[in-house]
Amino acid sequence: MTAFLSNWGTCPSINSLTHQLRVFLLRSEEDEWPISKHSHGIDVNRERISNAFEPPAALLPPVQILKQHSKPASIEILGVTSMVNKSLILIMASAAVGALSSVPVQAVETPPNSGTTSYTTHFVFVPKSTVDIPGVGKAVALEATGPTENTKGDSFLNDMKAKCEAVSIETAGKKWIDGACALTDVDGDVVFSTFDTRDLDKTQPKMDCGTHIITGGTGKYRGITGKEPFACINKDVPAGSPEGAFAIDIPHNTTWQFKS
């Protein structure tokens, strides 16, 4: 047992157990241990465990295991053979199964390589600072946040958290807003875009408020680019919003592609 623990201490972190630990049962003194050879980890054959030991249906607490299944077996760990009791192998197998079940699963599907969809962001804009020169010009720094809703029922661009930083400019009889936005999904992956209300797509006259340009992303969205003409629909400000806040629903028609 001392030799086994010494060898175990040289193994990498338990977090990489399922990638680096290979357990091959060589032989047992009295019967065959029901763990099969597997190239990437531990494969526990529960049916054979049932046939080999009592009770058949479930793994016992460690203390009871130690009492009932203490016969020695020879195992090989990363090329080093040691004698251990079967209860320890069973505990190791249970730990490996638990490690596999704790691996994070991607909640949102990766979108196709290219496509189109439509979604609406329910924004609340909050003024952060202002530069106001009467008779000359005014600039207001804005922060906008809100959830997205895919209006076509697609998973892409649905239920994401949008956050934008923008500047509203009024000068020389003109007014526009430009800025940048990050849309974050539940996996933490981000789509990044810039926008300008002066950039209008004349082929989509209903999208008359500006255009987002998707410039990239992280995680599953790495390499994404695209274009999103959008409209602006004024809404009532939610109760409890900061002073000066205003609400706008912004529908988008999105066309995207991933760089090859």
Side-chain angles (χ1 to χ4, degrees):
M1 177 64 73
T2 301
F4 170 75
L5 292 177
S6 176
N7 294 328
W8 176 255
T10 65
C11 291
S13 164
I14 190 67
N15 291 329
S16 60
L17 174 66
T18 56
H19 296 286
Q20 300 187 42
L21 175 63
R22 292 190 234 169
V23 178
F24 301 134
L25 180 68
L26 303 180
R27 60 188 177 82
S28 171
E29 290 186 349
E30 294 188 10
D31 52 42
E32 181 181 1
W33 179 253
I35 297 180
S36 62
K37 191 172 182 180
H38 194 283
S39 62
H40 294 292
I42 302 175
D43 181 10
V44 180
N45 187 317
R46 294 184 181 276
E47 182 178 354
R48 293 177 65 193
I49 288 177
S50 275
N51 294 335
F53 300 113
E54 294 293 339
L59 299 179
L60 296 170
V63 173
Q64 193 169 348
I65 292 174
L66 290 171
K67 290 180 180 179
Q68 293 192 12
H69 309 307
S70 59
K71 296 176 182 179
S74 178
I75 68 170
E76 180 182 310
I77 299 179
L78 300 180
V80 180
T81 302
S82 302
M83 297 299 296
V84 298
N85 63 45
K86 293 179 180 179
S87 60
L88 185 54
I89 300 175
L90 185 58
I91 293 170
M92 290 167 57
S94 300
V97 172
L100 283 172
S101 65
S102 66
V103 174
V105 177
Q106 183 173 287
V108 180
E109 295 180 356
T110 301
N113 286 335
S114 63
T116 61
T117 195
S118 298
Y119 73 99
T120 296
T121 308
H122 305 287
F123 274 124
V124 174
F125 287 79
V126 178
K128 294 298 184 178
S129 63
T130 301
V131 174
D132 190 356
I133 310 300
V136 178
K138 182 178 180 180
V140 181
L142 300 167
E143 183 173 276
T145 57
T148 67
E149 176 188 1
N150 190 296
T151 50
K152 290 184 66 176
D154 298 332
S155 59
F156 182 37
L157 297 171
N158 185 61
D159 197 26
M160 300 178 79
K161 294 180 179 179
K163 181 177 181 180
C164 303
E165 301 297 335
V167 178
S168 174
I169 305 292
E170 295 182 54
T171 189
K174 297 179 180 180
K175 180 177 180 179
W176 69 92
I177 301 175
D178 57 20
C181 296
L183 307 183
T184 306
D185 69 16
V186 295
D187 295 320
D189 298 334
V190 178
V191 175
F192 190 85
S193 67
T194 62
F195 71 91
D196 192 326
T197 59
R198 295 168 293 182
D199 181 9
L200 301 178
D201 186 342
K202 295 181 179 179
T203 67
Q204 300 189 52
K206 291 185 178 180
M207 299 294 154
D208 58 358
C209 199
T211 300
H212 278 269
I213 302 297
I214 299 174
T215 59
T218 66
K220 68 177 73 68
Y221 308 119
R222 188 178 302 278
I224 193 170
T225 61
K227 188 175 182 179
E228 300 179 320
F230 61 85
C232 296
I233 303 171
N234 292 324
K235 306 294 288 187
D236 292 335
V237 180
S241 296
E243 184 179 354
F246 56 96
I248 303 178
D249 277 2
I250 299 185
H252 306 74
N253 286 341
T254 303
T255 301
W256 81 88
Q257 57 281 323
F258 283 86
K259 296 178 182 178
S260 57

